[in-house]
Amino acid sequence: MISFIASFCYNFFYTFKSIVKIVLFLPTCKNQYMYRHCENNVAYILADGPSLTNDIGNHIQLLSKKDTFVMNQFVVSDLFLCLKPKYYVLVDPVYWIDTISDTEIDFVVALVDGLKNLVYWDMTLFIPIFALKAERIRLIKENAHINIIGYSSLSLNGFRFCRNYWYKKNTGMPSPQTVLNASIFLALNSGYKEINVLGADHTFIKQLSVGYDNLIYREDSHFYDKEKVEKVAIVDGVAKDWTIERWLITVSKMFRSHYILKDYAKHLGAKIYNLTSDTLLDVYERRKIEDSF
């Protein structure tokens, strides 16, 4: 009885909070993207974890014939032209805001130049609706092969029937703590009934340490890194440093978002599989990549 009351109060609070968000951000919820049916039932989502290269090494030719979602800096990897992904997903504001560091400018320029100049096949680029008019996105639009679609990245939660209705209308999504969360959601709303996830290492905890300056250091490595990645302090422009508590709460929200995505997939009659060999993501059913073809 106590757990039921606690669950009801939790869902009531977040449903009310989500309604307030929808009212406040209504213009950003009027987007181009809603749930649709898809002729092809199977999709592959390639996240950028270090395990990706080894996991798909012997299956690149097969993957090149599948509908694939990629993200972030995938365009700088050799796999980009091999796989010719059908979808590209961005969620990090660094790709369209002006106030970024010199290091961030370098990889944003690499992404814009890569998408603008390398894509010669039909590809859909998903970005949050409010970023559609950004200057860097305008440059990417110069490539006629890329169809840019806006989606609502508003984080919504609450009673299951409410959130499933909002998600299918793309009024919002489960918290997009990482671009993988957003990519899985967009794959579901693209109508895919079987979604295979690779490169979802999510080994955030393994990569953390605290320095003598009491800052949290993280080795943020990716499959496309050419050199060994050194640990750097986790800082941002708002809070000069993160506490380990704050960081782990953020990671917890990310895992919670995956559980909601799994529930939403069930609502749509879809199934999500985690094919990543080295992973801390225990939400989805596990299987090996060779079993997915």
Side-chain angles (χ1 to χ4, degrees), residues 128-141:
I129 189 75
F130 57 79
L132 285 173
K133 296 182 180 180
E135 175 63 20
R136 296 183 190 119
I137 303 304
R138 185 191 65 77
L139 293 174
I140 296 173
K141 285 181 181 179

Side-chain angles (χ1 to χ4, degrees), residues 120-134:
Y120 61 89
W121 62 93
D122 291 339
M123 189 182 80
T124 296
L125 172 63
F126 288 115
I127 62 171
I129 189 75
F130 57 79
L132 285 173
K133 296 182 180 180

